[in-house]
Amino acid sequence: MKRKFAKTGFRNPYDSDYDDGEPYEYNSGDDVEDGNKESFIENEAQKIREKGKAAYFKRGMFTCPYCTTKPKPRDGIYEHLMSHARGLSRCAEGIKTRAEHAALLKALGPI
């Protein structure tokens, strides 16, 4: 088996020192995973910056663009939107949800 990997130039994934955890670029339509999470956050943050803060201020309230079923935060205060994004970027269930809210936090940041 080692000879096959030596001839092809590939590393044996069963070796104890094998690490394929290198980050890779997120492309639109890909699933968000640990390896491309940072790239996804950068892409989403750039989209949010292009739209500007005014795109998330509707009817006199700030709303989260990713929580569409129940508008968050309900009171619409900017600090509460940032608190909502901070909380979900740390402890949401899915990687994509965490990454989306981390991008929102990164793009809008402090006033």
Side-chain angles (χ1 to χ4, degrees):
M1 188 74 155
K2 286 184 180 183
R3 290 176 54 199
K4 281 186 179 179
F5 286 116
K7 285 182 180 180
T8 59
F10 292 108
R11 295 179 55 202
N12 187 350
Y14 301 107
D15 282 346
S16 59
D17 64 337
Y18 180 79
D19 182 28
D20 194 26
E22 298 174 10
Y24 52 95
E25 196 69 26
Y26 172 79
N27 294 317
S28 183
D30 289 351
D31 288 337
V32 179
E33 298 169 351
D34 284 330
N36 64 357
K37 181 177 159 186
E38 291 301 319
S39 177
F40 176 80
I41 291 172
E42 284 298 321
N43 289 346
E44 285 294 309
Q46 186 61 34
K47 289 178 189 176
I48 292 169
R49 284 187 202 108
E50 288 172 2
K51 289 182 181 180
K53 290 181 183 178
Y56 306 105
F57 188 73
K58 296 176 182 169
R59 299 184 204 109
M61 297 171 48
F62 281 100
T63 57
C64 178
Y66 302 112
C67 298
T68 56
T69 56
K70 293 182 180 178
K72 303 283 184 183
R74 292 211 178 258
D75 57 7
I77 298 173
Y78 181 78
E79 287 81 18
H80 293 179
L81 174 64
M82 292 293 98
S83 176
H84 163 76
R86 193 174 303 110
L88 284 180
S89 69
R90 292 182 184 150
C91 63
E93 191 170 321
I95 293 175
K96 186 171 184 178
T97 304
R98 285 195 305 260
E100 288 170 340
H101 286 83
L104 182 66
L105 188 63
K106 183 175 184 173
L108 296 182
I111 293 179

